[in-house]
């Protein structure tokens, strides 16, 4: 058995290397949904997940100022993904005149395939509905809502996410 200075140095390096490897492993596994669903923002509209994975669409909202999001028709193919929950998180108080927050649409990937998730962004009370209601439709005097190409603006618009389940 070698008990010289090299042996002691090697033994001290093993614990020092174990922590970074554990941290790297945790970071890699967190991308696999091991520590919760992966969250996608409004600028991430091409999504690829595995069957059985859960994921969340996270969109900015100001419910105190009448800004809301709705799951619009046509709904995603239920054989590919399913809406499991819809929630909102509000920061501040509506009494402050702001109440900025976030709306969340939680989904579960069911089977391999591709589908679209269509969310309707309704800023500043431009749509007559409450969170959790079915998406409002434009009145006959309005043109259909446009499809958004950037971040949410001041007009109602659709945000379309393409989801591929592998």
């Amino acid at each position: 058995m070698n008990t010289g200075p090299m042996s002691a140095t090697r033994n001290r390096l093993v614990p020092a290397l174990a922590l970074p490897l554990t941290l790297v492993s945790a970071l890699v596994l967190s991308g696999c949904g091991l520590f919760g669903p992966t969250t996608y923002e409004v600028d991430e509209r091409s999504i690829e997940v595995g069957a059985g994975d859960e994921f969340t669409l996270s969109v900015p909202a100001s419910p105190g100022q009448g800004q809301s999001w709705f799951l619009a028709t046509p709904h995603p193919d239920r054989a590919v993904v399913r809406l499991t929950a819809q929630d909102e998180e509000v920061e501040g108080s509506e009494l402050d005149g702001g109440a900025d927050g976030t709306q969340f649409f939680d989904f579960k990937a069911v089977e391999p395939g591709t589908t679209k998730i269509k969310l309707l962004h309704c800023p500043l009370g431009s749509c007559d509905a409450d969170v959790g209601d079915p998406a409002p439709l434009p009145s006959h005097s309005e043109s259909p809502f446009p499809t958004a190409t950037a971040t949410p603006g001041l007009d109602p618009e659709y945000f379309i996410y393409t989801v591929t389940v592998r």
Side-chain angles (χ1 to χ4, degrees):
M1 181 163 134
N2 188 355
T3 58
M6 256 332 243
S7 176
T9 303
R10 188 171 355 143
N11 290 339
R12 276 188 238 137
L13 286 177
V14 171
L17 293 174
L19 180 60
L21 290 175
T22 303
L23 182 59
V24 168
S25 297
L27 290 173
V28 168
L29 290 175
S30 68
C32 299
L34 184 63
F35 296 109
T38 303
T39 301
Y40 298 92
E41 309 286 332
V42 293
D43 60 341
E44 302 170 286
R45 295 195 212 147
S46 182
I47 299 169
E48 188 172 316
V49 294
D53 288 352
E54 295 178 350
F55 64 96
T56 298
L57 301 182
S58 172
V59 293
S62 296
Q65 296 181 11
Q67 180 184 39
S68 296
W69 293 77
F70 302 90
L71 182 62
T73 56
H75 291 167
D77 182 349
R78 289 184 49 80
V80 180
V81 299
R82 291 197 181 128
L83 180 68
T84 59
Q86 188 176 339
D87 199 10
E88 65 182 17
E89 184 177 276
V90 178
E91 301 166 8
S93 166
E94 289 185 27
L95 299 175
D96 298 348
D100 286 339
T102 306
Q103 273 184 257
F104 302 98
F105 294 85
D106 298 329
F107 292 89
K108 180 164 183 139
V110 180
E111 295 289 334
T114 299
T115 190
K116 301 219 183 265
I117 298 173
K118 188 176 185 180
L119 298 183
L120 173 60
H121 172 242
C122 292
L124 308 171
S126 58
C127 302
D128 188 24
D130 292 322
V131 172
D133 285 351
L137 299 172
S139 69
H140 295 297
S141 62
E142 297 175 344
S143 63
F145 299 129
T147 299
T149 57
T151 59
L154 297 176
D155 295 315
E157 54 197 343
Y158 290 115
F159 282 72
I160 300 174
Y161 298 79
T162 301
V163 181
T164 301
V165 178
R166 49 187 196 303

